[in-house]
Amino acid sequence: MVLLSFINPLSDEGKQIVRENGSLNSVNEDNGDLIYAVERSSGQLDDIDNIPTNLIDLSLKRLECYVKKTYSPKEFDLNQYKYLFDKKIAKFDVISFYILAQAIAIKFGPASRESKEFVESQGFLIERRLFNLSNRESEEIIQRTIDSLDEVKWTHLSDLFSSKKLNLQELVLNNGNIILSEDEFMEIFGNKIKNRDPATVFKAVIQKETTELIVKSVIKQNIDDYIKEVSKNSSIIDPHPSLINIADKISKILKVGTNIEIKASTLEQDAFPPCIKNTISGVGSGNRNDAIVLLLTSFLSYARLYPSIFKNKDFRKVSDLDADLKITINEILPLIYDAANRCNPPLFEDDPQEKLNITAKLGFGVYEIPEMKHEGESKWYTPMSCDKIKIHLSSLCKPDATCKKDNVNNPLSYYNRKQWELKKRANSNNSNNSNNSNNSNNPAKNNSR
């Protein structure tokens, strides 16, 4: 039987394994049982140096595999990491998971890029591991995972809905809870289904792929919550030296993912979408707070520092792009504050707390101004989608022709598209002007017409 912790390391089983075998005093020592398990699971590796010899090595290989697969796909060789997807290493894997999670929580915090990449790496491992299992093993461990989770409400899956990976119509609900197991389905709906086999109905309406997607999403959310808890407790508990040491190695691995060249660019206000222009002009009290704090703050900061966030899908901190925070403090915040003052009534006069919330939305915690020492205490929020703006800030949403173009589903995607359109138009005008100038300076050509 496959260990449940192979898919859900935060299960009671996983926690028990760590309690019994997870002493941090020996994680740097060569582990013969681990080496044997890796060699058995993966066969003869092409590169003997790729075999993890201790639990720290295994922890780093977990993250390295995902980072290379994501950011260097052409050089990535899955065969070098196939032991990570073999159930034989489950006992060692769950310990390596906790080593990584705690090191990242203590050193970098829950809002860091390191944390986000780690959570995503677990999602990748879950996918590959389920793929490698037999159908029977996969179905069994998914069911056991479902049984180990708390009730899953559909409201917990907002990320899946907003990314269109999941539709609400694909779910079977009971009092807001998602029905995932056949036993629960039969208990609630079995007697209500007539002239059809309820088990057949269950398999028809609750697809395996949907269940796996939801399970993966819930586990990732639970990991995120665990990192927040560890980070909070780290201020009152001295971390083990091994966790501090591994954090530096984590940073080196993630440098692979920073090879994408990202340049901050000056803001081009002619390319702002209508909702942003309307916000900058001043907003009434009904939509004022959300328009300034949630919409404008995220848009201006990303448009100025990192407009390609959705294209690159590479999480960064503000300081990765604005090392001394001069752009943030001297350019971005004044634009936000000016828009806040144009509101009716002025935002900060009516609600001074919102200035702290603006700082928080930039990733610097709840403080008056952003400071490096507070970065990571909160998340740098990306702009809300057009769909959310239509729902929550409908008075600001006045679509123009660019809004209706394909792939424009967010103020940032509008901004990037509009910049491209304006640049194309400018190049065309320059070309026409150049041709006209050449013609006017060539009398012979003009006389020949």
Side-chain angles (χ1 to χ4, degrees), residues 116-256:
K116 293 178 176 65
E117 298 284 16
F118 170 62
V119 172
E120 291 302 318
S121 73
Q122 185 64 30
F124 165 68
L125 288 175
I126 291 172
E127 288 179 10
R128 290 299 312 182
R129 288 170 178 178
L130 290 174
F131 177 80
N132 277 19
L133 295 174
S134 67
N135 287 336
R136 182 185 61 79
E137 288 176 324
S138 176
E139 290 176 2
E140 178 191 53
I141 199 165
I142 282 292
Q143 184 56 56
R144 289 166 55 211
T145 302
I146 291 170
D147 294 340
S148 72
L149 298 173
D150 294 330
E151 289 182 335
V152 180
K153 293 189 175 295
W154 71 269
T155 51
H156 295 167
L157 304 177
S158 57
D159 288 347
L160 293 181
F161 296 134
S162 61
S163 64
K164 302 188 185 303
K165 293 180 180 178
L166 188 66
N167 293 319
L168 190 59
Q169 292 83 354
E170 297 177 284
L171 305 179
V172 177
L173 303 177
N174 181 52
N175 296 326
N177 296 323
I178 302 174
I179 305 301
L180 295 173
S181 74
E182 185 172 352
D183 289 344
E184 187 176 8
F185 179 86
M186 297 295 287
E187 180 181 344
I188 297 171
F189 301 107
N191 294 331
K192 300 177 182 179
I193 298 174
K194 307 298 182 183
N195 303 321
R196 295 187 67 182
D197 177 18
T200 303
V201 174
F202 171 80
K203 292 178 181 178
V205 299
I206 301 181
Q207 300 292 317
K208 178 184 176 184
E209 293 78 9
T210 300
T211 302
E212 290 182 2
L213 182 65
I214 293 171
V215 165
K216 184 181 73 170
S217 179
V218 173
I219 291 174
K220 287 166 62 177
Q221 288 181 23
N222 290 344
I223 293 171
D224 197 43
D225 291 340
Y226 175 74
I227 291 173
K228 291 176 182 176
E229 180 184 355
V230 173
S231 178
K232 181 179 179 181
N233 292 336
S234 66
S235 61
I236 57 176
I237 301 174
D238 290 334
H240 194 281
S242 295
L243 298 178
I244 302 300
N245 293 335
I246 193 177
D248 295 332
K249 297 178 180 179
I250 291 170
S251 294
K252 290 180 180 179
I253 290 174
L254 287 177
K255 283 184 178 179
V256 174

Side-chain angles (χ1 to χ4, degrees), residues 44 78 142 154 168 173 193 275 286 315 344 373 388 401:
Q44 182 63 47
L78 187 65
I142 282 292
W154 71 269
L168 190 59
L173 303 177
I193 298 174
C275 58
F315 300 107
N344 183 25
K373 64 182 179 181
K388 288 186 177 180

Side-chain angles (χ1 to χ4, degrees), residues 50-87:
N50 201 54
I51 296 179
T53 60
N54 57 52
L55 291 169
I56 292 291
D57 281 352
L58 182 61
S59 301
L60 296 172
K61 292 296 183 185
R62 278 174 123 261
L63 190 59
E64 179 185 274
C65 174
Y66 170 75
V67 170
K68 286 189 174 181
K69 173 257 178 189
T70 304
Y71 298 107
S72 303
K74 292 183 179 179
E75 293 80 27
F76 176 65
D77 182 2
L78 187 65
N79 288 328
Q80 293 296 322
Y81 300 94
K82 57 186 178 181
Y83 55 84
L84 291 173
F85 316 117
D86 195 302
K87 58 188 178 183

Side-chain angles (χ1 to χ4, degrees), residues 388-399:
K388 288 186 177 180
I389 294 171
K390 290 175 185 176
I391 295 171
H392 300 293
L393 298 170
S394 57
S395 64
L396 300 175
C397 182
K398 308 295 181 184

Side-chain angles (χ1 to χ4, degrees), residues 177-445:
N177 296 323
I178 302 174
I179 305 301
L180 295 173
S181 74
E182 185 172 352
D183 289 344
E184 187 176 8
F185 179 86
M186 297 295 287
E187 180 181 344
I188 297 171
F189 301 107
N191 294 331
K192 300 177 182 179
I193 298 174
K194 307 298 182 183
N195 303 321
R196 295 187 67 182
D197 177 18
T200 303
V201 174
F202 171 80
K203 292 178 181 178
V205 299
I206 301 181
Q207 300 292 317
K208 178 184 176 184
E209 293 78 9
T210 300
T211 302
E212 290 182 2
L213 182 65
I214 293 171
V215 165
K216 184 181 73 170
S217 179
V218 173
I219 291 174
K220 287 166 62 177
Q221 288 181 23
N222 290 344
I223 293 171
D224 197 43
D225 291 340
Y226 175 74
I227 291 173
K228 291 176 182 176
E229 180 184 355
V230 173
S231 178
K232 181 179 179 181
N233 292 336
S234 66
S235 61
I236 57 176
I237 301 174
D238 290 334
H240 194 281
S242 295
L243 298 178
I244 302 300
N245 293 335
I246 193 177
D248 295 332
K249 297 178 180 179
I250 291 170
S251 294
K252 290 180 180 179
I253 290 174
L254 287 177
K255 283 184 178 179
V256 174
T258 59
N259 290 333
I260 302 172
E261 185 177 2
I262 299 172
K263 294 181 179 179
S265 59
T266 55
L267 288 171
E268 191 170 354
Q269 297 202 23
D270 288 342
F272 285 1
C275 58
I276 297 300
K277 290 180 179 178
N278 292 334
T279 301
I280 289 175
S281 298
V283 185
S285 58
N287 293 318
R288 182 194 60 187
N289 294 43
D290 285 351
I292 299 296
V293 177
L294 297 181
L295 176 60
L296 188 63
T297 298
S298 58
F299 173 81
L300 289 178
S301 58
Y302 275 97
R304 177 65 175 89
L305 298 175
Y306 192 9
S308 59
I309 170 64
F310 295 123
K311 176 183 177 182
N312 293 346
K313 297 179 181 179
D314 179 23
F315 300 107
R316 299 296 175 97
K317 303 188 294 290
V318 167
S319 64
D320 292 333
L321 307 140
D322 182 17
D324 54 11
L325 303 185
K326 286 184 178 179
I327 296 174
T328 302
I329 293 172
N330 297 330
E331 297 182 35
I332 297 171
L333 285 177
L335 288 173
I336 298 170
Y337 293 166
D338 286 347
N341 289 330
R342 281 192 286 271
C343 290
N344 183 25
L347 176 59
F348 301 139
E349 290 181 15
D350 193 46
D351 198 348
Q353 174 69 23
E354 292 292 28
K355 184 172 283 191
L356 309 184
N357 291 333
I358 287 171
T359 303
K361 293 298 182 284
L362 293 170
F364 294 90
V366 186
Y367 299 95
E368 183 77 14
I369 60 171
E371 293 183 80
M372 285 299 301
K373 64 182 179 181
H374 298 307
E375 189 170 34
E377 291 186 20
S378 57
K379 175 184 176 182
W380 183 17
Y381 280 81
T382 53
M384 64 178 73
S385 67
C386 292
D387 288 342
K388 288 186 177 180
I389 294 171
K390 290 175 185 176
I391 295 171
H392 300 293
L393 298 170
S394 57
S395 64
L396 300 175
C397 182
K398 308 295 181 184
D400 62 9
T402 303
C403 291
K404 300 172 184 177
K405 297 285 179 66
D406 290 341
N407 300 322
V408 174
N409 53 18
N410 183 285
L412 269 183
S413 58
Y414 178 106
Y415 181 69
N416 291 326
R417 171 83 188 200
K418 193 70 173 182
Q419 279 189 309
W420 176 81
E421 290 178 354
L422 293 173
K423 184 177 181 180
K424 183 179 179 182
R425 188 184 308 161
N427 290 339
S428 177
N429 291 338
N430 290 337
S431 177
N432 291 335
N433 291 337
S434 177
N435 290 336
N436 292 336
S437 176
N438 290 336
N439 290 337
S440 64
N441 292 328
N442 191 341
K445 187 173 183 179

